[in-house]
Amino acid sequence: MRFTALLLLLLTLIPAAHADDGHAALHRLFAEEWERGLRESPENAAYNGDMRFNDRWSDLSLKAIADSEAADRAAMARLHAIDRKALSAQDQLHYDTFEWLLNKDIERQPFREYLMPMTHQGGVQTADGITELLAFSTEKDYRDWLARMDALPVLIEQTLALMREGVRSGRTPPKAIMTRVPAQIAAQLVTDPEKSGFFAPFKRYPESFTDAQRAALSKEARTLITGKIVPAYARLGEYFNAEYLPATRSSIAATDLPDGKAYYDLLARYYTTTALSADEIHGIGLKEVARIRARMEAVKAETGFKGSLPEFFSFLRSDPRFFYTSPEALLEGYQAMSKRIDPELVKVFGVLPRLTYGVRAIPASIAPDTTTAYYQGGATDGTRPGYYYVNLYKPEVRPKWEMLPLSLHEAVPGHHFQFARGMELPEMPMFRRTAYFVAYGEGWGLYAEQLGYDMGLYDDPYDRMGQLTYEMWRAVRLVVDTGMHAKGWTRQQAIDYFKANAPKTDQDIVNEIDRYIGTPGQALAYKIGQLKISELRARAQGRLGARFNLRAFHDEVLGTGSVPLDTLEKHMDAWIAAQAAQ
């Protein structure tokens, strides 16, 4: 009897030990791959608040890129060596999420995206922008930045090598968007080093620094800018203007790249986290445009405007009452809008993130060529808040009626809630706390715009038109992105379609279309993600009836962390079933 009991005890312990071994191996893989990611991308490390690599840039040499791709494949082999079935349900979710991300990275390798290292929205020509992420509080912080400045010519040479290989292999970006880049490079060719973006940190020393420290650091910065940085950018400009720009492709479609159709199909799957085809996404977009347009007609009638919908759009784009007259007033307007939203959040959330956020202007060097606003997440250790960046370039094209849905999307309860809540899930491995599935993240952002109704914020018909405009904007994206990249649409055709269906200003429309050209497929994620979250909410309401708790629903969606849409659906279906069973 004693032997039998002991044998039975050992048999029950063996699976548990095996599961523990799998758990340990899995989380060791997660930790090591997280560390590798930080080491390979010092810029991403800084974004996450890890400043250990602040004296260097990413290595963009072809050897380093090949080594990184090989490491991805090795990580996948390590993952598949772990018995998924022996893992806990939570670890299986982590396993599946990690596998999805790694698999998409490996699937993208043959398309050699790194051979197009610059876009009109960023690249080595805007490298000084990383100062927005860095803290300059100690002499080491400044010394690290000086080391980065000293290494910039190497980064530029690596970028040039990638561009030359891109030209040789037929992998170049569209000329239509790259014509914006020469001005960005020219902005770095300063004659006064103190006017360089790289010098900005040396204009704001901590009070504790002595005059001698300040003088020595500033002198070294001026020497590097004049002697190394400006000449390196001059070499970049000479090659870009004389050789690269003429060699960029005249077409705008991703399908015109080598293996372009397979590439765009992959991007559509990657960004939407679905198996939807370009034709299916195009059809969804057309249907949504028609539905939202009908709602716009109703709001137009509510305002008392007597003209047609296109005439109403022109009125919204041009009437002075809808615009601030200075960048300063526009920034104050955004700050006031955030203060208006904050107190209402408790109506729709039970859990509010601890991390704070602020409102900042988009740097003037990139504002003319970038979007209306964007969000920058806080540091993972909570040492840097999140920031809602707003575009103050040409306030006369930034209408007041778009500020409410934009703030709901980019700040609270949109991206700030999503990123901050993710970072405040300590039981998750780091890659899960910081993962960004675009369909989940941007789908949540677009869904968050509509929460203004639940919070009682859309009390003005022009604000409601703003919400519909922003929803229409994302529906239009489904049509024009697939149109340009899979159906032969021209850039002008896409601009015209956008303008016919939304009162966004011309400046924004052109910048948006160029963004879709430069980042194929990314724009598909927003509406697809929002439709899924809205579908899940309707499902929960239908199943739970009077017991449906909106605050609990939102807390659970954000508490899931960023995942593919089918994973979110399975998780929320289980949550709905558990709520129904209580």
Side-chain angles (χ1 to χ4, degrees), residues 13-316:
L13 288 175
I14 288 171
H18 182 59
D20 286 344
D21 289 345
H23 171 86
L26 185 69
H27 285 265
R28 185 164 55 250
L29 174 62
F30 292 159
E32 290 174 3
E33 285 300 293
W34 174 258
E35 180 67 17
R36 175 171 74 93
L38 299 177
R39 190 172 59 250
E40 289 184 354
S41 177
E43 300 86 353
N44 188 51
Y47 180 89
N48 284 292
D50 189 329
M51 305 302 174
R52 289 176 295 157
F53 313 104
N54 272 0
D55 59 347
R56 68 199 77 167
W57 304 99
S58 294
D59 186 346
L60 298 187
S61 67
L62 286 169
K63 181 183 182 306
I65 292 169
D67 288 347
S68 180
E69 291 184 342
D72 284 345
R73 296 190 294 272
M76 184 66 88
R78 285 181 63 187
L79 180 70
H80 288 165
I82 298 170
D83 184 1
R84 181 187 178 281
K85 294 178 182 177
L87 299 172
S88 68
Q90 185 67 26
D91 274 347
Q92 286 182 355
L93 176 59
H94 298 332
Y95 182 109
D96 294 345
T97 305
F98 187 80
E99 182 184 46
W100 194 100
L101 289 166
L102 199 54
N103 185 57
K104 287 296 179 286
D105 285 343
I106 293 170
E107 284 185 355
R108 292 174 79 156
Q109 289 180 7
F111 299 106
R112 306 181 75 191
E113 294 166 300
Y114 53 83
L115 296 183
M116 296 184 285
M118 295 172 63
T119 76
H120 70 293
Q121 289 191 288
V124 71
Q125 78 277 21
T126 58
D128 55 303
I130 196 175
T131 56
E132 294 280 322
L133 300 175
L134 306 178
F136 290 91
S137 55
T138 68
E139 184 168 347
K140 183 182 184 303
D141 294 334
Y142 285 85
R143 289 291 171 193
D144 284 347
W145 182 238
L146 288 169
R148 257 194 175 134
M149 291 168 65
D150 189 48
L152 186 74
V154 173
L155 183 66
I156 289 177
E157 288 304 318
Q158 290 175 338
T159 300
L160 285 166
L162 294 178
M163 294 163 74
R164 290 188 176 103
E165 179 60 25
V167 171
R168 281 193 291 270
S169 63
R171 298 181 186 277
T172 61
K175 188 179 273 85
I177 58 173
M178 297 307 282
T179 53
R180 294 173 178 245
V181 174
Q184 297 171 354
I185 299 173
Q188 298 287 3
L189 304 180
V190 296
T191 54
D192 179 356
E194 295 194 11
K195 292 184 178 178
S196 168
F198 289 90
F199 193 81
F202 303 94
K203 295 180 178 180
R204 53 174 193 269
Y205 288 107
E207 291 184 5
S208 60
F209 277 36
T210 66
D211 289 343
Q213 280 179 300
R214 299 178 190 215
L217 292 169
S218 295
K219 180 180 178 181
E220 193 169 343
R222 285 191 291 266
T223 299
L224 286 171
I225 291 167
T226 302
K228 283 197 165 186
I229 291 177
V230 171
Y233 275 121
R235 291 192 296 275
L236 176 65
E238 288 168 7
Y239 171 73
F240 190 94
N241 296 331
E243 298 183 49
Y244 191 72
L245 187 59
T248 54
R249 55 191 166 93
S250 57
S251 67
I252 60 172
T255 46
D256 290 330
L257 288 165
D259 300 318
K261 184 182 184 306
Y263 179 50
Y264 186 66
D265 288 345
L266 170 62
L267 292 177
R269 294 195 304 273
Y270 170 75
Y271 285 118
T272 67
T273 69
T274 71
L276 292 169
S277 68
D279 282 344
E280 289 171 321
I281 293 170
H282 194 83
I284 293 169
L286 292 172
K287 185 181 297 184
E288 281 293 284
V289 166
R291 179 186 66 80
I292 300 166
R293 193 177 177 94
R295 290 191 60 196
M296 285 179 158
E297 289 280 7
V299 174
K300 173 179 73 72
E302 188 181 346
T303 67
F305 188 86
K306 301 302 182 185
S308 65
L309 193 59
E311 289 170 336
F312 189 50
F313 289 170
S314 296
F315 165 68
L316 292 171

Side-chain angles (χ1 to χ4, degrees), residues 403-469:
M403 294 171 68
L404 177 54
L406 181 63
S407 300
L408 291 167
H409 180 115
E410 299 293 348
V412 291
H415 289 325
H416 179 68
F417 266 38
Q418 177 223 331
F419 278 87
R421 282 293 314 281
M423 288 191 294
E424 293 169 11
L425 298 172
E427 74 280 4
M428 298 273 197
M430 282 301 296
F431 91 92
R432 287 275 283 117
R433 291 166 62 189
T434 61
Y436 188 66
F437 289 87
V438 185
Y440 173 94
E442 297 298 350
W444 173 262
L446 179 52
Y447 172 81
E449 295 174 20
Q450 300 174 10
L451 292 182
Y453 293 105
D454 297 294
M455 290 188 279
L457 293 169
Y458 286 119
D459 53 4
D460 180 271
Y462 292 109
D463 285 340
R464 290 197 290 280
M465 180 56 73
Q467 182 273 313
L468 290 172
T469 296

